[in-house]
Amino acid sequence: MTEPVSAPFYEEEHEEFREAAREFTAREVAPHYAAWDAAHRVPRSLWTAAGAAGLLGLAVPEGSGGLGLADYRFRAVLDEELVREGALGVALALHLHDDWVLPHVLAHGTDEQKQRWLPPMLTGELVTSVAWTEPGAGSDLRGVRTRAVRDGEEWVLTGQKTFIGNGISGDAALVLARTDGGTGRAGEDGLSLFLVHKADSPGYGTGRQLDKMGLRASDTAELFFEDVRVPAANLVGAEGGGLRQIRQLLPQGRLAVAVAASAVARSTLESTVRYTAERTAFGSRVLDFQHTRFELAELTVEVEVTEAYVRQAVHAFNAGALDLVGASKAKYWAGERARSVTDRCLQLHGGYGYILDYPVAQAYLASRLLTLFGGTSEILRETIGRDVAGGT
Ligand SMILES: Cc1cc2nc3c(=O)[nH]c(=O)nc-3n(C[C@H](O)[C@H](O)[C@H](O)COP(=O)(O)OP(=O)(O)OC[C@H]3O[C@@H](n4cnc5c(N)ncnc54)[C@H](O)[C@@H]3O)c2cc1C
């Protein structure tokens, strides 16, 4: 295959969008990313700049103030450009807002909720988080213990969440809570989703910021809810419909991770080719050792196969045909490839690969999350395996 895989996948309009995304990342992200990494936080000005550049909420219809770019290739372009600058942390922070929260508002929000939330989500004035995981419930969301009890026109929310991205820097969280009053594992109708705003919610506490091994520019935190009064108008979707809504919209979240993982594998491979072409040992370029060329040959094929597979999933998503099994396959494959490609690329850097100044070290640490977040590789294989077994 001599043609780059990307040639038929992206069309002229995507490449025009790439120019805008590249200009944005060069101006607003690249010069500051190291400082954000050290501060363990991206500033609000990044979000409002992204909003001003029209990069948030691409899928929001024009009638609601967005650009109506539901074609996921535009999101993929933005991820690729952020990853090319080494800013996977920014890409994933945007994912939470755009691929994990926004779909719920678009698919299940009332007209009133859309009017209230979409404009500030588009401008970056309302930054959102996904608050599903708890200390006792990660893979198994039926174990969620945060509870919401109806009291007139409000719900009273009590509980604790952990691992919440944008948890400190964000303004509101899409919280998964038990609404059937039960204890033990929840049934199919036992959980609901609420958008809970930090500023006007006494009892909404932010716990410690978790010290991650990679992706340090994005904040990840514990959240606490102590008798937080949430307006009934902030229930997103049907009471008791939380698990069904999550299953329905999870394909987009998993596709987003797959797209980012594929982009990390590609950009790490490219920077490794450059590095091995510059580095010399025993009087020759590291690139010219047969072992290096074999490694890079294998890695190139792996990256191209991954791109092709993920792009097929993007096409399926655009056609409304990406189900949970398809998205799980794409995330499983791309997440595991990002992990192995960054590991093998690090090896080709020798000792410098271990030094955080080098992009490969950052990519290695960052990509380790991609087989954990949004469904671990074990859970993904469970989903895929059940589908395989179901056909026998
Ligand atoms: C940096 C980071 C950011 C995150 N951001 C968010 C966020 O913004 N919002 C949010 O809600 N969550 C977030 N998460 C949580 C993430 O989605 C969970 O960590 C993940 O779903 C796994 O849950 P867990 O950590 O409780 O692991 P567990 O569920 O306890 O799993 C432990 C191990 O058991 C395996 N396992 C579990 N069940 C099975 C099974 N049935 N079969 C085989 N193996 C199984 C797992 O694969 C894993 O290897 C984040 C996590 C991290 C680390």
Side-chain angles (χ1 to χ4, degrees), residues 96 130 132-133 138-139 163-165 212 369 372-374 376 378-379:
L96 296 171
V130 176
W132 299 347
T133 305
S139 302
F163 293 139
I164 308 308
K212 305 194 295 290
L369 177 66
L372 300 168
F373 166 74
T376 63
E378 292 72 34
I379 291 297

Side-chain angles (χ1 to χ4, degrees), residues 96 100 129-141 161-167 174 210 212 214-215 218-220 369 371-379 382 386:
L96 296 171
W100 292 82
S129 310
V130 176
W132 299 347
T133 305
E134 301 189 353
S139 302
D140 181 13
L141 289 178
K161 298 288 176 181
T162 193
F163 293 139
I164 308 308
N166 304 335
L174 187 65
L210 303 174
K212 305 194 295 290
L215 292 170
S218 65
D219 62 285
T220 306
L369 177 66
T371 63
L372 300 168
F373 166 74
T376 63
S377 284
E378 292 72 34
I379 291 297
E382 269 294 313
R386 270 199 303 272

Side-chain angles (χ1 to χ4, degrees), residues 299-323:
L299 291 168
T300 298
V301 174
E302 280 197 28
V303 166
E304 288 186 5
V305 168
T306 303
E307 279 175 349
Y309 195 48
V310 169
R311 287 170 181 189
Q312 178 185 308
V314 170
H315 281 313
F317 178 81
N318 284 347
L322 185 70
D323 62 11

